[in-house]
Each structure stands twice: as C-alpha cells, then as structure tokens.
Amino acid sequence: MSYPSGEYRIFARSDDRGRPTPSPWELKEYFSTFGEVLDIYKPPSAVDVAYVTFGSGEEIQLALMEPKPTVGGIVLFLQQAQPRGSGGPGGGAAARPTTMLGGGIANPASLGLTPGPLAGG
C-alpha cells in the first residue's frame, strides 16, 4: 500500500518488544543504503519504536524488501507507516516534535503545549 507524498515513512519496532531500537546513527547507516534518509524519529515514550522518513516511495519499497532486518544487533519488524493522524500502526499524532541526528526534541512550550493537571492532585 502506498501513501501520499510527504508520508514516505517506515515504522520500525524491535522484534523483541520493549527492547530499544538501534541508535539513530545505526538506523541511518542501515537505511541510507536504500536512499536518502530525511528524518529519524524515536518516540520517547516507546523505546522499541522508530520512524524513518525517506524522500520517495521507491526508497521505502526497497527498504521493505527485507521486513525483518538485523540493525545494530537488533532484529526489527518493518512496515510502511500510515499517514500521520490516521490512528493506525505508525499513524501517530498529526504534529509532533522530531528527533533528528544530532538534534533534540523540541521544547513543549515552543509547540504551544502546556502541562495538564497532575493526576490525583
């Protein structure tokens, strides 16, 4: 299944659930063999998940030819991510901070987010 331009992302999960995915550098090294890696996002709340964004659907198809590669000594399960906001596997929120190699996650306040009330308080 293919998705619109701008949604050329792969959803990667450690085959051993709960085990952290490889580092962004290891992911980039592996996935760069299939094309230009535009972004790598590792959600802070899901250490066993990573998203890799490519520039084209052809690059994704090449990367998905091996659905369970070993990267950095960790077996990964790969599938094409659904468009952001779709709610399915790899669909996630419509807008979220991105961690790129050498970068950091944006300050929540800079995204217009404010902390909610504490549970029980």
Side-chain angles (χ1 to χ4, degrees):
M1 179 179 291
S2 295
Y3 296 106
S5 176
E7 295 295 341
Y8 304 127
R9 295 182 308 136
I10 286 181
F11 170 80
R13 181 184 294 276
S14 297
D15 198 40
D16 183 10
R17 298 281 301 254
R19 182 175 184 184
T21 55
S23 74
W25 295 273
E26 291 170 315
L27 291 167
K28 181 172 180 159
E29 182 178 337
Y30 174 77
F31 285 108
S32 290
T33 64
F34 305 107
E36 183 182 7
V37 174
L38 302 178
D39 182 58
I40 293 174
Y41 174 70
K42 294 181 69 168
S45 61
V47 297
D48 59 350
V49 170
Y51 296 91
V52 180
T53 304
F54 287 97
S56 75
E58 292 81 20
E59 294 167 338
I60 284 179
Q61 297 310 313
L62 287 172
L64 291 175
M65 290 183 78
E66 173 56 54
K68 285 191 143 187
T70 299
V71 179
I74 299 169
V75 177
L76 297 175
F77 167 77
L78 305 179
Q79 68 183 60
Q80 186 167 356
Q82 293 186 10
R84 292 177 183 159
S86 69
R96 60 178 166 213
T98 300
T99 301
M100 185 59 182
L101 297 177
I105 295 177
N107 178 340
S110 72
L111 299 173
L113 303 174
T114 56
L118 296 175

